[in-house]
């Protein structure tokens, strides 16, 4: 099993590195005439699709019999057996504006359980990975969630609603409670990187209302292997099989965030 995971990791890293090199080369080349909107404010370009083709090609060649569920080309693919959950470009809006918070995210999942996660922060050249039972790592160094326990000292990441605007009133209530109770709130714009920031202990917690499996599959394994907790706002641990809410953090800050989110919903 261990050597199997190592092989999956090698394939995911190769695929992510290739896509990251391509994205680095393409940054700043796409004018607004080539951005298309999937939903209001949800942009995609030929660069997202080409990066996903490159990734799928490497993964399927190195791991025959596996499947790919990717944001742009195969979002509704079947998930039985070993399945790769791929976001070729997490943070497309940032990429289009040359704001440096965007990433490649690849996870291997079996029976809804992430086995391997790889995230590459393209402009920083930082490479994150986690193996189920094998810890979380940044550039070859083991990472761990923070030891901050008190909410008023916590730095909390979030993502604003961007397409599903009917969620804005609920989000604004959550935002007010968390900004009042925490040490600070940040919104970088790539959920995969936000979860890496939790795993590395820079963020003490993170929440968002609606994310897709490819935004969070790799990052969730990173957080868990770094000693943190990730669930949806109801406490369910399966965050890779459908779109839904997310809350993550070191165990203490996660517990506080979940209590706040629960009280907002019940209010
Ligand atoms: P994406 O770039 O792969 O679509 C954070 O809010 C998450 O939502 C990101 O991981 C991002 O993933 C997705 N997202 C889609 N459109 C967005 C937008 N206009 N602004 C911010 N995030 C967006
Ligand atoms: Ca994407």
């Amino acid at each position: 099993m261990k050597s199997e995971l190592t092989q999956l990791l090698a394939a995911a890293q190769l695929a992510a590195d290739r896509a990251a090199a391509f994205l680095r080369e393409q940054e700043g080349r796409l004018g607004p005439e080539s951005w298309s909107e999937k939903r209001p404010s949800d942009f995609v370009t030929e660069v997202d699709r080409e990066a996903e083709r490159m990734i799928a090609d490497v993964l399927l060649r190195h791991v025959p019999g596996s499947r790919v569920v990717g944001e742009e080309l195969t979002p509704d693919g079947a998930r039985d057996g070993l399945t790769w959950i791929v976001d070729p470009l997490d943070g497309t809006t940032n990429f289009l504006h040359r704001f440096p918070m965007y990433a490649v995210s690849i996870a291997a999942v079996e029976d809804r359980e992430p086995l391997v996660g790889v995230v590459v922060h393209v402009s920083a050249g930082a490479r994150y990975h986690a193996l189920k039972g094998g810890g979380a790592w940044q550039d070859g160094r083991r990472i761990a969630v923070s030891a901050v326990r008190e909410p008023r000292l916590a730095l909390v990441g979030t993502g604003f609603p961007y397409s599903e605007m009917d969620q804005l009133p609920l989000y604004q209530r959550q935002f007010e409670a968390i900004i009042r109770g925490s040490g600070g709130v940040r919104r970088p714009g790539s959920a995969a990187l936000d979860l890496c920031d939790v795993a590395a202990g820079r963020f003490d917690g993170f929440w968002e209302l609606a994310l897709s499996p490819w935004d969070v599959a790799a990052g969730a394994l990173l957080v868990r292997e770094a000693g943190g907790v990730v669930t949806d706002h109801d406490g369910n641990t399966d965050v890779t099989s459908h779109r839904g809410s997310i809350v993550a953090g070191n165990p203490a800050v996660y517990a506080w965030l979940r209590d706040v989110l629960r009280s907002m919903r019940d209010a």
Side-chain angles (χ1 to χ4, degrees):
M1 183 71 178
K2 192 130 197 220
S3 67
E4 228 172 87
L5 289 190
T6 313
Q7 282 171 8
L8 295 178
L9 175 64
Q13 285 179 320
L14 181 62
D17 287 344
R18 290 223 179 133
F22 172 66
L23 294 177
R24 205 172 290 121
E25 176 193 296
Q26 294 296 323
E27 196 199 81
R29 290 202 180 171
L30 289 177
E33 66 289 347
S34 53
W35 310 351
S36 42
E37 257 180 316
K38 288 194 282 186
R39 294 177 294 172
S41 304
D42 191 352
F43 298 98
V44 63
T45 69
E46 193 45 40
V47 170
D48 299 63
R49 287 186 286 262
E50 180 57 24
E52 189 168 317
R53 277 191 282 275
M54 295 170 80
I55 291 168
D57 185 56
V58 172
L59 296 175
L60 297 177
R61 204 151 24 87
H62 283 76
V63 186
S66 61
R67 302 163 174 275
V68 173
V69 170
E71 176 173 13
E72 309 305 346
L73 304 177
T74 51
D76 303 317
R79 288 149 183 265
D80 38 331
L82 179 65
T83 304
W84 297 101
I85 301 197
V86 173
D87 193 338
L89 173 45
D90 184 56
T92 297
T93 305
N94 287 343
F95 172 78
L96 294 175
H97 293 268
R98 292 178 294 107
F99 185 73
M101 300 306 285
Y102 60 89
V104 181
S105 174
I106 300 176
V109 174
E110 198 158 35
D111 299 329
R112 302 182 174 202
E113 187 75 53
L115 302 175
V116 165
V118 168
V119 176
V120 176
H121 181 180
V122 177
S123 55
R127 298 163 83 239
Y128 298 86
H129 79 265
L131 292 175
K132 188 173 159 53
W137 304 77
Q138 175 182 350
D139 299 323
R141 282 197 208 98
R142 190 113 190 213
I143 53 176
V145 295
S146 69
V148 171
R149 295 186 55 82
E150 283 191 53
R152 67 182 179 78
L153 300 180
L155 186 63
V156 180
T158 188
F160 306 142
Y162 53 88
S163 274
E164 291 140 335
M165 286 302 161
D166 53 326
Q167 297 189 324
L168 206 46
L170 171 61
Y171 182 78
Q172 284 174 308
R173 291 203 303 278
Q174 297 175 344
F175 183 75
E176 178 169 0
I178 293 167
I179 210 162
R180 283 181 188 277
S182 70
V185 174
R186 301 287 183 271
R187 198 287 194 233
S190 155
L193 290 179
D194 294 333
L195 291 170
C196 290
D197 281 329
V198 174
R202 295 181 289 260
F203 281 165
D204 308 298
F206 170 76
W207 94 99
E208 186 157 348
L209 271 172
L211 286 170
S212 296
W214 40 82
D215 298 321
V216 299
L221 184 62
L222 269 138
V223 171
R224 290 173 184 151
E225 288 294 328
V229 187
V230 184
T231 68
D232 67 15
H233 293 190
D234 295 319
N236 300 308
T237 55
D238 175 18
V239 295
T240 66
S241 58
H242 51 268
R243 187 167 167 85
S245 58
I246 287 282
V247 52
N250 72 40
V253 173
Y254 164 85
W256 174 68
L257 286 172
R258 240 208 97 191
D259 283 349
V260 171
L261 297 170
R262 193 187 289 130
S263 69
M264 293 295 109
R265 197 185 42 194
D266 298 340

